Amino acid sequence: MKVTDHLTRAEGKTLFSFEVLPPKKGENIESLFCNIEPLLEFKPPFIDVTYHREEYVYRQHPNGLLEKKTVRRRPGTVGICAAIKNRFDVDTVPHLICGGFTKEETENALIDLHFLGIDNVLALRGDPIKSEGRFVPEPDGHSYACDLIGQVADLNKGEYLDQEQDDISATDFCIGTAGYPEKHFEAPNYGADLRYLKHKVDRGAEYIVTQMFFDNEQFFAFERRCREAGITVPIIPGLKPLTTKSQLTMLPSAFYLNLPEELADAVHLAPDNAAARQIGLEWCISQSRELMAHGVPCLHYYSMGKSETIRQVAAALF
Ligand code: FAD
């Protein structure tokens, strides 16, 4: 079932969903299932599975020469979506990115998803490859998420890249897109970022999931500005409980976000990671409670491979 249908059916009740990462190459899928199982009691209508593009690594040969190799550490997003759906009978949302894909490869991935009975995709541009300073699309790939959204929307109308037959069948994907309460780091200003977001919705995105944020005022302002800009689709806040002291610097540098002074000071002064985690947990619970009271359609949690803290947040709320 589509994410938007789940939201409609909930009739104003806030839903609970979360995102998982594919296991590292060579790891067993059972560890992922073990991470998901404790969260099922909170009845997630859908689970997102992230997509991880290739990285460049340099291997040294015995003669001292360096060989540049491409590696993907967490492949398998499509297969994992199908496996989760089969195992738990929960809808899945594969993340689909522009980076590393030609349009034809994107179309083939969408055909696979369609055959697997997966009804949703979260369409993203993807970040630049770690060693590259800026995002470089594939030759004949998409430069921005709006174009990927356009391709999925075309497929939903039965418009394939190369129409070889007349009795072509259309897909029916529900398309999600990303939004940034604190602005995407590359956007020249907040207004431009919002215009591009509106464009993504105009091209076919049916709901927005936000980047994580730790100050609800940022979300409320973002939501208000979206509505003023004529964006009417559901906006799902993305949340992450802070769990270690090192995340005080890691989260802002990886996700270009601000941590409120009150939270950052408390975590900074915490004697150890256990105390920091408790502070992060309580902060996330109170953020979630306020967002529920505000009437958000769904609370979406970034698990980053670990579900226990999210289970504790959900247990306090649902
Ligand atoms: P876009 O919407 O294309 O925007 C990228 C930048 O270009 C922005 O600055 C925007 O303002 C600007 N822009 C947009 N459209 C145009 C245009 N037409 N002309 C000029 N400028 C434009 N990354 C992964 O690799 N895998 C994942 O699984 C993943 N999951 C994510 C899930 C969520 C909920 C979020 C919020 C992010 C996720 N990301 C993921 C990260 C995301 O790929 C990066 O933030 C990426 O840098 C931007 O992706 P986007 O889809 O927002 O890009």
Side-chain angles (χ1 to χ4, degrees):
M1 196 163 118
K2 295 180 175 192
V3 167
T4 45
D5 289 339
H6 282 296
L7 300 181
T8 307
R9 272 199 189 183
E11 294 179 336
K13 190 172 151 268
T14 303
L15 300 173
F16 160 80
S17 70
F18 60 96
E19 166 185 300
V20 296
L21 278 57
K24 282 201 183 123
K25 189 152 66 184
E27 279 179 9
N28 198 306
I29 197 168
E30 284 303 321
S31 62
L32 176 65
F33 290 158
C34 290
N35 247 319
I36 291 175
E37 260 156 12
L39 299 175
L40 294 178
E41 68 168 293
F42 308 109
K43 309 220 171 339
F46 56 91
I47 299 172
D48 277 50
V49 181
T50 54
Y51 191 92
H52 298 258
R53 68 175 304 183
E54 71 280 14
E55 293 169 31
Y56 294 135
V57 293
Y58 292 88
R59 300 260 156 78
Q60 191 163 25
H61 286 281
N63 62 6
L65 289 178
L66 288 176
E67 184 189 2
K68 184 178 174 185
K69 288 193 73 108
T70 306
V71 293
R72 284 193 57 212
R73 297 185 198 281
R74 292 179 187 272
T77 299
V78 171
I80 284 163
C81 282
I84 293 173
K85 194 167 152 55
N86 274 336
R87 172 87 163 226
F88 301 119
D89 195 20
V90 177
D91 282 302
T92 44
V93 185
H95 292 190
L96 202 60
I97 63 171
C98 305
F101 280 84
T102 63
K103 288 176 196 157
E104 192 185 356
E105 287 163 344
T106 297
E107 183 171 282
N108 290 340
L110 288 164
I111 290 169
D112 281 348
L113 291 169
H114 180 56
F115 286 150
L116 288 165
I118 289 167
D119 298 324
N120 305 283
V121 291
L122 189 73
L124 303 146
R125 188 197 67 180
D127 281 325
I129 292 188
K130 272 187 190 144
S131 51
E132 290 183 343
R134 64 184 183 88
F135 179 82
V136 182
E138 288 299 293
D140 196 33
H142 296 300
S143 298
Y144 295 106
C146 58
D147 300 319
L148 173 57
I149 290 166
Q151 185 177 4
V152 186
D154 282 348
L155 222 58
N156 281 349
K157 290 184 268 175
E159 291 171 16
Y160 289 69
L161 292 173
D162 190 11
Q163 303 276 19
E164 283 176 346
Q165 54 193 82
D166 294 332
D167 59 338
I168 214 148
S169 78
T171 57
D172 190 18
F173 290 109
C174 171
I175 310 168
T177 189
Y180 300 84
E182 298 181 58
K183 182 183 97 56
H184 185 263
F185 69 100
E186 291 169 27
N189 53 57
Y190 206 102
D193 207 26
L194 212 60
R195 273 198 308 281
Y196 293 130
L197 180 57
K198 169 87 165 56
H199 186 53
K200 292 197 282 187
V201 172
D202 292 343
R203 299 264 333 244
E206 293 160 85
Y207 71 98
I208 296 166
V209 187
T210 76
Q211 182 57 281
M212 66 181 79
F213 58 91
F214 291 83
D215 176 358
N216 283 351
E217 290 309 318
Q218 300 274 5
F219 175 81
F220 297 140
F222 171 71
E223 189 190 48
R224 198 170 50 246
R225 294 184 75 164
C226 285
R227 300 307 181 218
E228 283 166 7
I231 297 171
T232 56
V233 299
I235 304 177
I236 299 176
L239 297 172
K240 179 192 151 30
L242 196 145
T243 50
T244 62
K245 288 174 77 99
S246 63
Q247 287 175 355
L248 276 186
T249 48
M250 187 281 272
L251 293 176
S253 70
F255 300 104
Y256 305 93
L257 50 82
N258 284 295
L259 293 171
E261 271 180 48
E262 191 188 336
L263 172 65
D265 290 351
V267 171
H268 180 67
L269 293 173
D272 53 29
N273 271 335
R277 181 180 176 280
Q278 189 58 30
I279 294 164
L281 177 72
E282 284 166 16
W283 186 275
C284 190
I285 291 171
S286 90
Q287 248 195 301
S288 305
R289 284 210 174 107
E290 191 182 24
L291 289 162
M292 279 172 109
H294 179 73
V296 297
C298 182
L299 290 167
H300 185 73
Y301 293 91
Y302 294 101
S303 79
M304 291 172 80
K306 299 206 174 64
S307 63
E308 177 50 22
T309 320
I310 291 173
R311 193 197 63 73
Q312 288 178 275
V313 173
L317 300 169
F318 293 94

